[in-house]
Amino acid sequence: MSESSMTRPQAAVAHHTSLGVDNRKLGVWAFIGSETLFFATLITTYFVFAPVNRARPDFQDPRQFLDIELTTVLASILLASSLTMVLALSASKRGDRRWFTTWLLATVGLGLAFIGGQVYEFNHLYHEGLTLSSSLFGTTFFVLTGFHGTHVAIGVIWLLSVFFKVRAYPDSPENAMDVEIAGLYWHFVDLVWVAIFVLVYLI
Amino acid sequence: MAIAERTAGTVSPPSVSVRPGWAGWLSTTDHKRIGIMYLVSAFVFFLIGGIEALLMRIQLGVPDNTFLTPDVYNQMFTMHGTTMIFLGLMPLNVGLGNYMVPLMIGARDMAFPRLNALSIWLFIFGGLMLYVSFFVGGAPNVGWFAYAPLTQKQFAPTAGVDYWIIGIGLTGVASIAGALNFIVTILNMRAPGMTLNRMPLFVWMQLIVAFILIFAFPVLTVGTIQLLFDRHFGTRFFLPNLGGDAVLWQHLFWFFGHPEVYILILPTMGIISEVLPTFSRKPIFGYAFVAYSGVAIGFLGFLVWAHHMFAVGLGPLANAFFGAASFLIAVPTGVKIFNWLATMWQGSLHLTTSMLYAIGFISMFVIGGISGITLASPPINVQQTDSYYVVAHMHYVLFGGAIQGIFAGIFYWFPKMTGRMLNERLGKWQFWLMLVSFNLTFFPMHLSGNEGMPRRIYTYESEMGWNLWNLLSTIGSLLLAVAFLLFLWNVLTSIRRGSIAPADPWDGATLEWSVSSPPPVYNFAVTPRVRSRRPLWDEKYPHLHEVNGSHETPAARLRGLLYDGAEGEMPMAMEPIHLPSPTYAPLIVSVGIMILGFGIIYLGDFGVIAASAMLVGLLIMATGILSWVRISHVDSPYQAH
């Protein structure tokens, strides 16, 4: 804490930016742009290999392995978590700490449920004979969905860290922005799942 | 300097003082120190890469040589390419950008100082990891492009490729984090009045490069992750015998690899767009064109990757498209060349070392550009691909271009960074020696290439007729080494005994010259107000502004005036200065990530030990992140009252 900044009036807080957007928010948007290319590449790889997989002797048919019912539930869970995330942010902006805690922990819970569901799915597929090395489908499917699952896990850790930070410093005016940028990332990860769900499971 | 004078006595030094000695460097969050760390570490890697090149040139100096074994030779060209691109050129540009961009836009630091520190540490550790491979079974020996399926375990059994993957991975994370930092800093932290169209061109180019980076690097990251899975976890992305696709790797690699070329060259185009006007005593000719053609190059750069793959046989349609797109890039680039020439035209040229290097950039880059345009034509390319002609082309662009541009920048900004002038006489000796020996090294490669000498061969027979060209190249490379030693000597002596640099030794036009050399830790005592593209010339030569006009379009001038008007109402009160505290958190997080990386490399072979190493890495990372969150909270501007 610098001595000179002790005199800083509340209004002149250094959050004036050239574009009028918060620095961290702009940073997370740019990061999401970068992540889009990351997942686009993984999804492209999946599609490049889908017809090759079909033509091979060790062909494994995605339709035989993938359980649409289970993943529909998982997709609903993740979409619901986006809703609770929005509600958590709105509660945080209102300064309603009780509902903020409720909705944020609900988001975390839904995220954990999704991860649990994916672990169950992977385990099930493994016992059915689908592995990283069993076919091109296994290779591309597990790497794509696995990295998405990793992103969800990182999102859960991020949300928890926001939760603990807000609990430790409940009066910090940065709290709403902390929640908002974690939410941006969370919605992005959800959106990626929508893409994966449609492109890999439904089509 | 009016602004510099205002500095004195008005600001109490920030209480978050710099820690003394090594601790100050290990815990720094100051963009200027981080910039210097980038420059020094990148230059060390650059010298190592140069030594690797020298070893190769010695091997090729005479036919049937046995100085290096074939395997060591393969390791050398792989490490030379990887080092020069990821650990030399890129971070040299990042270092100059880190130091100069906040100063040029009138900011006190980067937008995310701790993230900035994380970037430098991840870069250094990534580079070190790459070099660890020499001591654990051999460096990667598959070329910097690491074509599949040569990189698979049965063809590359040592851990070299794994260290390549993780080393590139760490520097990649560092680059993406750094690019995010540049984007937010440049878009959001400009001084009042500095509209986008008033930004120095070096800042423009760094902004474009940052955008290229965040979109190009993730594609390489996915490729290397898939390669890692292929090598250790049983997948088959790039294994053709199991249905995998070796050409897919090429697509992924060059989708990153070609934009990477612009990541290397655009910042140096920005440098010479600063240097040429300063030493021609004229504003840049066609500012807007130089800026927006950079955008065009950045965009087109994503549409030409397959011109690296003409020999694959993608079919006439694909070849025609990628050939035509590659020709197209020559348009904005070519006009830029004329912009620079027109900037010098009828200027009063001051041929300082920096200016010589800028002119050297233009002339050598034109040669490399012309051989590049011919290579963009598929039928010609098929003749010349994988020959020394390509080696010549690429070095004219990246050495004659990028390296000379970086030297222009170093001689230009060294006084600002250190407070000492580099020795100009030594500098000019270095320039001429380098220019001659560069051409002696690389021009004969056009000829040996056209006579059919393939790249990446460790030796050749005497009857091939390539003896003379190779001998000349080798002699040239040894002279190049002397030029670099001259530079090293110049830096080491000037930093202690060089003449003291004034705040504005070159009579510059941009904001970095308005503060002392080296700048105070807080950069600007008072946030500067900007009213044109050349704020400092405005202040020093107010009459010129009226005579020449502001060189802005009416609309841009109106926007600027509105901005000036609004800001003009604000009292010029002394603002409190808020600087980020020093912290070890980014260093700790980087150490954790590095240990995690070691774990990943050995996870397939030594499961339990590697997994526990990964766990340790994650714990260290978590500790670092906790202390990071704590310090960022303490540092938050809201905590000051």
Side-chain angles (χ1 to χ4, degrees):
Chain A
M1 241 174 292
S2 85
E3 194 189 341
S4 53
S5 59
M6 297 297 282
T7 56
R8 179 189 295 277
Q10 176 88 41
V13 156
H15 263 221
H16 169 79
T17 62
S18 310
L19 296 185
V21 185
D22 180 87
N23 278 349
R24 290 187 299 159
K25 199 167 165 182
L26 188 61
V28 169
W29 271 114
F31 177 63
I32 286 174
S34 185
E35 287 274 271
T36 305
L37 266 284
F38 183 88
F39 280 108
T41 311
L42 283 171
I43 292 172
T44 307
T45 308
Y46 179 87
F47 277 101
V48 165
F49 283 126
V52 188
N53 172 51
R54 224 169 288 132
R56 281 188 55 78
D58 57 2
F59 166 55
Q60 289 181 305
D61 190 353
R63 262 169 258 183
Q64 259 170 21
F65 285 93
L66 299 182
D67 181 357
I68 307 278
E69 282 87 29
L70 172 70
T71 37
T72 307
V73 173
L74 291 183
S76 320
I77 287 176
L78 215 49
L79 286 177
S81 81
S82 261
L83 176 65
T84 55
M85 188 68 233
V86 171
L87 293 170
L89 175 63
S90 125
S92 155
K93 281 185 171 161
R94 286 199 310 271
D96 184 342
R97 208 169 299 156
R98 206 165 62 90
W99 277 109
F100 165 71
T101 308
T102 311
W103 290 127
L104 191 76
L105 289 183
T107 313
V108 168
L110 290 168
L112 287 174
F114 176 86
I115 295 170
Q118 201 175 32
V119 169
Y120 170 80
E121 184 199 22
F122 277 19
N123 193 36
H124 177 72
L125 292 174
Y126 183 78
H127 285 293
E128 301 265 295
L130 185 72
T131 67
L132 277 172
S133 48
S134 66
S135 70
L136 275 171
F137 171 59
T139 285
T140 48
F141 172 80
F142 281 117
V143 173
L144 169 60
T145 52
F147 268 96
H148 176 263
T150 314
H151 276 72
V152 176
I154 291 170
V156 167
I157 295 170
W158 190 341
L159 291 177
L160 280 175
S161 70
V162 169
F163 171 72
F164 284 116
K165 200 197 152 195
V166 171
R167 213 168 67 147
Y169 312 106
D171 298 320
S172 168
E174 291 198 333
N175 284 349
M177 188 50 71
D178 284 337
V179 178
E180 189 169 348
I181 59 173
L184 273 179
Y185 174 83
W186 188 258
H187 295 313
F188 167 72
V189 173
D190 282 4
L191 206 62
V192 172
W193 179 254
V194 172
I196 293 175
F197 181 60
V198 172
L199 296 173
V200 174
Y201 288 88
L202 293 187
I203 295 181
Chain B
M1 287 306 85
I3 295 174
E5 278 157 19
R6 263 183 263 144
T7 309
T10 53
V11 174
S12 52
S15 64
V16 275
S17 54
V18 180
R19 292 184 188 149
W22 282 99
W25 292 95
L26 296 178
S27 64
T28 191
T29 48
D30 177 359
H31 74 98
K32 298 183 286 298
R33 285 195 158 214
I34 292 172
I36 288 175
M37 286 159 75
Y38 263 113
L39 288 170
V40 170
S41 49
F43 195 71
V44 170
F45 282 124
F46 185 83
L47 289 181
I48 296 172
I51 291 169
E52 286 154 0
L54 276 184
L55 294 175
M56 285 190 285
R57 273 325 316 168
I58 292 171
Q59 163 69 16
L60 292 176
V62 291
D64 302 309
N65 203 354
T66 54
F67 175 69
L68 298 180
T69 64
D71 179 50
V72 171
Y73 187 87
N74 289 352
Q75 296 180 26
M76 287 301 134
F77 70 66
T78 304
M79 290 298 276
H80 169 71
T82 307
T83 303
M84 289 310 198
I85 286 174
F86 292 101
L87 311 178
L89 284 181
M90 262 176 92
L92 283 171
N93 283 328
V94 174
L96 287 174
N98 231 300
Y99 200 107
M100 289 304 158
V101 163
L103 284 165
M104 290 175 114
I105 62 172
R108 293 223 164 88
D109 207 318
M110 298 285 277
F112 309 114
R114 284 173 288 271
L115 191 66
N116 205 17
L118 182 75
S119 292
I120 178 68
W121 291 118
L122 279 181
F123 157 66
I124 291 178
F125 289 148
L128 290 179
M129 273 192 85
L130 190 62
Y131 272 87
V132 165
S133 61
F134 271 115
F135 308 103
V136 290
N141 54 3
V142 292
W144 88 281
F145 42 81
Y147 273 1
L150 192 59
T151 44
Q152 295 293 343
K153 207 117 192 197
Q154 67 259 46
F155 307 116
T158 70
V161 173
D162 303 315
Y163 278 94
W164 183 86
I165 291 170
I166 300 295
I168 298 299
L170 293 195
T171 60
V173 175
S175 299
I176 289 179
L180 296 175
N181 219 336
F182 273 112
I183 288 173
V184 177
T185 305
I186 295 171
L187 288 182
N188 244 359
M189 296 182 67
R190 284 165 283 137
M194 181 166 284
T195 56
L196 285 177
N197 282 320
R198 287 174 179 174
M199 289 196 311
L201 286 166
F202 179 64
V203 178
W204 256 111
M205 295 305 133
Q206 289 281 355
L207 178 65
I208 296 164
V209 163
F211 273 107
I212 299 177
L213 240 158
I214 62 168
F215 294 126
F217 246 93
V219 181
L220 176 71
T221 308
V222 169
T224 51
I225 287 171
Q226 291 172 338
L227 176 59
L228 189 79
F229 270 74
D230 272 5
R231 284 176 61 86
H232 293 293
F233 308 119
T235 59
R236 51 174 83 167
F237 289 105
F238 308 123
L239 280 170
N241 54 328
L242 293 172
D245 191 347
V247 178
L248 176 67
W249 168 265
Q250 295 193 24
H251 281 295
L252 296 181
F253 185 83
W254 289 117
F255 188 88
F256 147 82
H258 198 80
E260 171 72 14
V261 174
Y262 300 108
I263 293 171
L264 302 175
I265 199 73
L266 282 176
T268 62
M269 289 181 166
I271 292 170
I272 72 157
S273 301
E274 301 300 326
V275 168
L276 288 169
T278 302
F279 295 116
S280 305
R281 318 300 309 136
K282 274 177 65 191
I284 185 93
F285 182 89
Y287 168 97
F289 190 91
V290 178
Y292 291 104
S293 68
V295 178
I297 292 174
F299 180 73
L300 289 173
F302 279 98
L303 302 177
V304 300
W305 78 89
H307 72 211
H308 295 266
M309 302 163 59
F310 284 148
V312 169
L314 299 174
L317 192 65
N319 285 356
F321 171 80
F322 285 107
S326 309
F327 287 132
L328 216 54
I329 289 198
V331 176
T333 315
V335 183
K336 262 188 180 194
I337 304 270
F338 286 104
N339 279 89
W340 293 321
L341 295 180
T343 303
M344 287 193 286
W345 181 256
Q346 290 192 336
S348 62
L349 303 186
H350 293 234
L351 293 176
T352 59
T353 309
S354 174
M355 182 67 166
L356 288 178
Y357 269 115
I359 299 171
F361 172 101
I362 299 176
S363 41
M364 292 304 108
F365 185 79
V366 165
I367 298 177
I370 289 174
S371 58
I373 294 172
T374 57
L375 278 171
S377 161
I380 296 178
N381 185 290
V382 171
Q383 293 298 310
Q384 287 169 332
T385 191
D386 261 333
S387 80
Y388 261 82
Y389 187 86
V390 177
V391 181
H393 155 68
M394 160 186 80
H395 283 88
Y396 267 83
V397 178
L398 292 183
F399 192 135
I403 294 289
Q404 293 209 89
I406 286 168
F407 271 117
I410 288 175
F411 275 88
Y412 186 59
W413 283 313
F414 186 88
K416 179 53 62 188
M417 293 189 279
T418 62
R420 301 269 183 178
M421 307 293 289
L422 278 172
N423 186 322
E424 279 286 304
R425 222 163 69 97
L426 263 180
K428 284 175 187 167
W429 271 101
Q430 178 206 338
F431 168 75
W432 288 109
L433 180 61
M434 194 182 273
L435 189 71
V436 171
S437 55
F438 162 77
N439 281 292
L440 187 59
T441 308
F442 294 106
F443 195 81
M445 291 182 185
H446 290 112
L447 306 171
S448 54
N450 269 345
E451 287 171 16
M453 181 169 171
R455 298 171 74 175
R456 308 186 195 100
I457 50 167
Y458 78 101
T459 193
Y460 53 94
E461 288 165 352
S462 182
E463 301 83 63
M464 301 305 292
W466 307 326
N467 300 6
L468 176 64
W469 307 136
N470 277 290
L471 185 63
L472 289 178
S473 286
T474 299
I475 294 170
S477 68
L478 293 170
L479 290 174
L480 266 181
V482 177
F484 278 98
L485 288 178
L486 271 184
F487 173 71
L488 206 58
W489 173 253
N490 197 349
V491 168
L492 293 177
T493 52
S494 298
I495 214 157
R496 289 196 210 103
R497 295 197 297 273
S499 50
I500 302 289
D504 185 15
W506 315 120
D507 197 5
T510 39
L511 286 174
E512 77 269 30
W513 306 110
S514 71
V515 295
S516 61
S517 301
V521 65
Y522 46 82
N523 289 1
F524 299 94
V526 179
T527 305
R529 297 280 185 271
V530 178
R531 292 187 170 76
S532 82
R533 286 173 188 159
R534 291 165 288 280
L536 215 55
W537 280 0
D538 287 351
E539 195 162 323
K540 289 183 284 193
Y541 313 107
H543 57 286
L544 282 183
H545 190 62
E546 280 152 32
V547 173
N548 295 334
S550 64
H551 292 276
E552 289 180 332
T553 63
R557 198 176 311 139
L558 191 63
R559 271 198 304 278
L561 282 175
L562 287 173
Y563 208 145
D564 298 341
E567 293 294 326
E569 301 300 315
M570 288 172 62
M572 292 283 286
M574 294 304 304
E575 320 146 56
I577 291 180
H578 192 81
L579 292 173
S581 313
T583 167
Y584 293 105
L587 176 59
I588 297 168
V589 174
S590 310
V591 170
I593 294 178
M594 182 177 63
I595 295 172
L596 187 67
F598 275 108
I600 290 172
I601 290 178
Y602 292 106
L603 190 60
D605 299 329
F606 306 95
V608 180
I609 305 172
S612 23
M614 285 172 71
L615 202 63
V616 170
L618 282 172
L619 283 176
I620 295 176
M621 233 175 105
T623 317
I625 291 173
L626 276 181
S627 100
W628 184 315
V629 172
R630 198 165 300 128
I631 194 93
S632 72
H633 179 73
V634 170
D635 252 15
S636 142
Y638 303 106
Q639 294 308 305
H641 20 267

